[in-house]
Amino acid sequence: MIEIHVVRRDNSHLYTEELEQYFRARYQIYVCERGWMDLDRPDGREIDQFDTPEASHLLALDNGRVVGGHRFNPSIGPTLLNEVFPQLSLLPLARSPDVYETTRLWVAKEQRGRYAHPSVESLLLAGTMEFALALKLRHIRVIFETWWLSRFQSIGWKLHPLGVPQDINGLNCVAVLKDVSEAIWMETCIKRSVAGPVLIWNGTARPSYRLPELLPAVA
Ligand code: COA
């Protein structure tokens, strides 16, 4: 069974082995598979300047094996858009406690394209909106390849492009603000057969939040 764990500064000591797997898996995905050679490192881990103590990670675990992930960075700190690609936004970039940036959404190859179970990607997407609601975020900010636009829209996400798409190392990329709302979380769950909240807050303070019961709508 797939579980989505929240890993942050205060509980990372409980996930030493999983974080090691996570950074090695990211190397396999981003350097070996996607060929993003700027991320290459001799130690076989994909770790960059945004894997700071302030970063939060959603780890998809299948009986202790890391099979997916997603990273959150507060917009008040260093982020990919703030530091590396600010030119992708035509507007001044908000640095606000209720806006986080996400990067490194990935699923292990053997777990991709499965929608019935629900898929690891579906659990990560629902978990992403749940995490944003738990933190009372207003927006999630992201740089992604433009093929994601219709994919997110198809599960009800409200997207606000911050600029026009630009070529980054041969990839057509756009910066986008995504709204955060309970209604979007519900639509994501319903479209992707996720039965309710998925996040496991093991050893880290769970913010007080309560999301609606979904089982009848999903079933
Ligand atoms: N370019 C264009 N489309 C892509 C793509 C890419 N690089 N990667 C995935 N897609 C499309 C697939 O073609 C597929 O389309 P379809 O539904 O019309 O068949 C769809 O996205 C689903 O992708 P799939 O890989 O089958 O499975 P998934 O939904 O379980 O996982 C990802 C999607 C993106 C999480 C997974 O493909 C992945 O981990 N990719 C590598 C990491 C990555 O590139 N992440 C995004 C940048 S951070």
Side-chain angles (χ1 to χ4, degrees):
M1 182 179 137
I2 309 291
E3 295 179 337
I4 309 294
H5 289 241
V6 177
V7 180
R8 318 194 268 192
R9 183 211 295 258
D10 60 346
N11 66 347
S12 58
H13 63 286
L14 302 176
Y15 290 90
T16 314
E17 160 56 23
E18 289 82 358
L19 284 169
E20 177 69 16
Q21 283 186 48
Y22 168 70
F23 291 121
R24 290 192 178 278
R26 276 179 27 183
Y27 186 91
Q28 285 304 315
I29 303 264
Y30 292 104
V31 179
C32 304
E33 178 187 340
R34 301 274 347 238
W36 296 358
M37 298 315 289
D38 291 354
L39 304 178
D40 192 11
R41 288 171 30 127
D43 67 358
R45 298 183 179 95
E46 192 277 289
I47 297 180
D48 71 7
Q49 67 270 43
F50 307 116
D51 290 303
T52 62
E54 285 68 42
S56 302
H57 306 271
L58 302 188
L59 262 51
L61 300 185
D62 183 6
N63 290 318
R65 206 168 64 82
V66 183
V67 293
H70 205 184
R71 178 175 68 179
F72 285 72
N73 288 96
S75 68
I76 54 173
T79 72
L80 196 59
L81 258 171
N82 288 342
E83 310 289 319
V84 186
F85 299 117
Q87 73 277 14
L88 281 175
S89 179
L90 297 172
L91 307 166
L93 286 165
R95 287 179 183 249
S96 164
D98 60 7
V99 179
Y100 272 46
E101 201 168 302
T102 58
T103 43
R104 304 293 194 270
L105 171 61
W106 65 274
V107 171
K109 262 189 173 170
E110 70 278 7
Q111 291 280 352
R112 291 184 199 162
R114 300 183 187 174
Y115 288 93
H117 302 314
S119 72
V120 174
E121 194 221 22
S122 300
L123 292 167
L124 283 169
L125 293 177
T128 293
M129 191 52 71
E130 182 183 336
F131 187 69
L133 287 165
L135 266 53
K136 306 209 174 350
L137 302 186
R138 198 163 36 98
H139 294 296
I140 297 168
R141 203 167 69 184
V142 66
I143 301 174
F144 56 36
E145 295 159 75
T146 49
W147 56 268
W148 280 105
L149 288 166
S150 59
R151 205 165 158 69
F152 275 108
Q153 283 168 329
S154 72
I155 55 168
W157 290 45
K158 306 284 178 291
L159 309 179
H160 309 279
L162 292 168
V164 291
Q166 293 182 32
D167 181 284
I168 296 178
N169 299 330
L171 301 175
N172 196 31
C173 295
V174 63
V176 168
L177 267 190
K178 301 167 169 176
D179 289 348
V180 173
S181 78
E182 209 170 276
I184 295 170
W185 173 78
M186 288 176 71
E187 191 168 347
T188 304
C189 291
I190 290 166
K191 292 251 166 73
R192 290 297 191 90
S193 307
V194 176
V198 295
L199 296 182
I200 294 174
W201 306 78
N202 172 30
T204 183
R206 181 191 187 280
S208 127
Y209 68 98
R210 197 184 155 91
L211 294 169
E213 188 58 49
L214 278 176
L215 268 174
V218 170

